[in-house]
Amino acid sequence: MSSEPQAAPYTPDPRIATIADWIGDPVEAAPFPCTDLRWRNDRWARAVGLGELDDAQWTSHFGRFQPLPGNLPGPLALRYHGHQFRTYNPDLGDGRGFLFAQLRDGNGRLLDLGTKGSGQTPWSRSGDGRLTLKGAVREILATEMLEALGVNTSKTFSVIETGEELWRGDEPSPTRSAVLVRLSHGHIRIGTFQRLYALEEKDHLEALVGYCLDTFPGPPPPVDAPGRDEPAVILLHQVVERLAVLAASWTVAGFVHGVLNTDNMNISGESFDYGPWRWLPRWDMAFTAAYFDHSGLYAFGRQPEALLWNCSQLASTLRTLTETAPLVAALDRFAPLYQQAMSPRFAWRLGVASRGPEADLALTQAAQQAMADSGASPDQFFFDHRTGRNAGDGPFAALLASHAPTASLDDPFWQQPAPPSLLIEEVERIWAAIDQHDDWTALLSKVADIRALGAQLGPAPTA
């Protein structure tokens, strides 16, 4: 079973200060009319030594943004460019968020506390720098479910309602406002590299490669990889591997991010920045999350392609630091790494033991076909067929039976008729209770159910 994140002492380490003068701009948080604490992620607060803060201290730091001890003296809005639906946009950057603090967890990982909806910055363009409370609630749900399903994701650390009325053209207005704090393993994007490349800041580009290798340590490239000792090549290999695993984990989770622009791609390989996300109502490769994705560029089945394309944009920025051939060799690893990561995760979610690449691939393909044929949601499908239960007849049933179970169904969790899910109708019901009656019980109950699912599934395969 998975366990709670381990408690750790507060260990500030604002190392981004060493590159702050060319990667961001000092900013101030908006002076909100009020700060009503709505959500605090205590299990992750304990993991970074902040679990002992009382509500008043919490609100002071994550609603008024008083600096944490020994940390960044003030917020930093990060600069970046990016491809948005494959069109390059140099007019980007943190327009409604900033980096607030950096600190270590009990495993020594450097983590960021960053914001969403904290006010205007030099990069806000015509935006108000705010976040709707509905957007914050949706991010709580997305990050909790992804964490339970073994996806490397940012954590929704805090949500504070701010008392402003916001007008949005694509939803009923005015609507309530909030400021969100996320805990994540870095905020360096592919778009961060694109900006330095576009501005021909080669020295800073080289320095950023070094910062990322120090901050996000990973395995070395394969022994036969050309240029395997060059920092830029090492970094691309690591990013390709992380994003291939991320794409695979989204597939097994049945998750559609919606907006896979290069400014939404974290070098750490961590899923973050949730907007029009959806979980699949049925196994449909053409399913899209964003109503404005008219071409289906970021459809469910095209997410691996999108992440590989984004990796190629990172490779393009690194050509100023190394030869092209080693970068192409790194990109060529994406497809096999994706498959290598996906098949064991299918076995894991089905509660059976991996039998090696060939057998796992056959099970994965049969499971996908069975899902498509049944029309069931992936959540229900995995729940019904875990450890061979209700497998029925046919190729999938035979393959599932050939894999030894690794999990028990004795817990009452598995006796309920359906698993926790986050189809859009459920999300809207949870929000309606908050919006119409200020009733947060459905949200808290859903989070408890999702965390119970995560505990039952246990840690996802790391390979």
Side-chain angles (χ1 to χ4, degrees), residues 222-435:
V223 293
D224 59 346
R228 68 184 307 271
D229 296 325
E230 299 179 41
V233 175
I234 295 170
L235 179 64
L236 185 61
H237 274 277
Q238 292 179 354
V239 174
V240 165
E241 182 167 348
R242 292 168 189 152
L243 292 187
V245 171
L246 178 61
S249 67
W250 283 344
T251 299
V252 178
F255 177 73
V256 191
H257 183 283
V259 186
L260 301 181
N261 299 328
T262 55
D263 56 298
N264 289 339
M265 289 291 103
N266 199 328
I267 294 298
S268 69
E270 188 175 55
S271 181
F272 82 128
D273 211 5
Y274 299 105
W277 56 265
R278 294 284 190 278
W279 257 268
L280 291 179
R282 63 186 184 281
W283 195 258
D284 178 5
M285 290 294 175
F287 184 86
T288 58
Y291 69 87
F292 46 83
D293 186 2
H294 304 296
S295 69
L297 181 64
Y298 298 144
F300 174 65
R302 297 184 67 182
Q303 290 185 132
E305 170 199 337
L307 267 61
L308 174 57
W309 191 89
N310 289 338
C311 286
S312 72
Q313 304 315 301
L314 175 62
S316 295
T317 73
L318 299 175
R319 288 183 303 174
T320 57
L321 305 179
T322 187
E323 299 296 322
T324 299
L327 301 174
V328 172
L331 294 173
D332 286 343
R333 297 181 62 214
F334 187 96
L337 285 168
Y338 169 76
Q339 194 60 60
Q340 178 183 319
M342 187 168 69
S343 293
R345 283 175 175 264
F346 259 87
W348 162 77
R349 199 169 176 195
L350 286 164
V352 296
S354 170
R355 291 185 55 213
E358 186 173 339
D360 288 351
L361 176 59
L363 178 65
T364 297
Q365 292 172 335
Q368 292 183 78
Q369 186 61 54
M371 268 192 283
D373 292 343
S374 72
S377 74
D379 293 321
Q380 190 70 52
F381 180 89
F382 282 112
F383 185 83
D384 288 344
H385 298 302
R386 187 169 172 79
T387 67
R389 180 180 58 180
N390 303 328
D393 301 316
F396 169 65
L399 285 167
L400 187 59
S402 70
H403 286 67
T406 59
S408 169
L409 298 177
D410 293 339
D411 192 281
F413 179 90
W414 299 105
Q415 308 313 313
Q416 57 188 329
S421 65
L422 281 181
L423 298 182
I424 188 60
E425 296 82 6
E426 179 69 10
V427 175
E428 291 296 332
R429 282 194 293 270
I430 291 170
W431 167 244
I434 294 170
D435 183 40

